[in-house]
Amino acid sequence: MGGCCGSRGDAILRCRRAVFGPVSADAGAECWAGLEEVSLVEVRTGGAPNQATRVRVGWDGVDLRLLWRVEDDWVWANLTERGAPLFTEEVVEFFVDPVGDGAAYFEVELNPNNAVMEAAMRRIRSGYRKDFRWGCEGLRTAVQRREGGWDAEMAIPVASLVGDSLPESGARWRVNFTRIDRPRGLPRELSAWSPTGLAQFHVPTCFGTVIFAD
C-alpha cells in the first residue's frame, strides 16, 4: 500500500501471469488465489476509509485482469449506459499510463450495474484534456452484488492500450485503482491505492507502479 503524494507514488504491485476463466467477478475462483492483493486508502490522508476496497491484478499474456472486492453497506447506482458519467454515482476506476511519462493515460470506470465509462487523458499546455472518443476495444466486465458489498472484474486487452508492443517480464506501468463511495446521508468518500493528497484522482505523478512478472 502506498503513501501519500509526498512520496510521489511509491506503491508497487507485481502483476503475475495466471490462467483465467470467463469474466465473472467470482472472487472465489482459483485463479485469483495466488495473485497479490492491495487495499485502497483515503485519497487525501492515506488513512483507512470507512468502507474498504481490495484489488487483485494479474494477466494472461493478452488481457489485464482486475478483481475488485468492494465493502459497501448501501450499494446503489442508477446509470446503465456505456459512456454515462458514472463518476457522479458509485464507481470503481482504473487509471493506467503504460509509457509512464505522464503525457497521456487511460481511465476505465465500472459501476454496480456493470456499466462502463472509458476516457483518454492527454496533456495539454494548461493541464489535461479528457477524450471520451477513446474506447477500450475488447473490454469485458462483470459485477456480482452480495451481502455487504459488490465484486467487479475487468478484462482489459493489453493491445487496446499499447498496440502490438506487449509488455515483457519486468515491464513497469504507472497505474492507480480508485473508488467513489456515496454513502446514504454522508459526504462522498474517495479512496485510492496510491493516494494523491487531494480530493481528486487525476494526479498521474502520484500513480503507483505495476511490474509485470512471470
Side-chain angles (χ1 to χ4, degrees):
M1 184 166 58
C4 281
C5 196
S7 58
R8 289 295 168 182
D10 60 357
I12 294 178
L13 170 65
R14 295 194 180 276
C15 179
R16 302 189 181 279
R17 279 184 180 262
V19 177
F20 296 93
V23 177
S24 63
D26 179 6
E30 184 179 353
C31 58
W32 299 109
L35 301 179
E36 291 186 29
E37 182 178 79
V38 297
S39 296
L40 274 54
V41 297
E42 203 280 326
V43 72
R44 293 169 298 176
T45 67
N50 291 322
Q51 301 202 101
T53 309
R54 303 185 302 279
V55 182
R56 291 184 186 267
V57 181
W59 82 305
D60 58 8
V62 177
D63 295 323
L64 199 61
R65 299 286 284 261
L66 283 67
L67 177 71
W68 306 76
R69 295 277 285 164
V70 181
E71 304 306 319
D72 196 341
D73 56 18
W74 186 45
V75 181
W76 72 274
N78 297 313
L79 298 171
T80 58
E81 295 183 1
R82 189 166 190 160
L86 306 187
F87 50 85
T88 62
E89 299 184 341
E90 294 200 315
V91 71
V92 295
E93 304 173 338
F94 175 55
F95 297 86
V96 55
D97 176 359
V99 177
D101 61 1
Y105 60 93
F106 303 98
E107 175 183 0
V108 181
E109 300 185 5
L110 184 63
N111 79 356
N113 292 331
N114 199 31
V116 171
M117 192 206 83
E118 308 121 292
M121 302 294 296
R122 308 187 191 282
R123 189 165 58 197
I124 59 176
R125 184 173 300 176
S126 59
Y128 285 87
R129 175 180 295 150
K130 184 173 286 191
D131 182 359
F132 291 104
R133 295 173 299 176
W134 177 76
C136 184
E137 186 175 354
L139 173 69
R140 288 111 58 216
T141 63
V143 168
Q144 289 194 28
R145 298 196 186 201
R146 54 178 168 77
E147 183 71 25
W150 55 291
D151 301 328
E153 184 177 352
M154 300 178 183
I156 300 173
V158 173
S160 70
L161 305 173
V162 295
D164 294 331
S165 303
L166 298 182
E168 298 180 354
S169 182
R172 293 171 174 252
W173 285 11
R174 301 281 286 171
V175 311
N176 211 354
F177 316 107
T178 68
R179 173 190 176 186
I180 301 175
D181 182 34
R182 298 182 186 273
R184 191 196 313 262
L186 295 172
R188 70 174 185 177
E189 181 173 66
L190 306 180
S191 53
W193 171 49
S194 184
T196 65
L198 302 169
Q200 66 160 304
F201 301 135
H202 289 274
V203 188
T205 53
C206 293
F207 288 2
T209 301
V210 158
I211 302 175
F212 287 84
D214 292 332

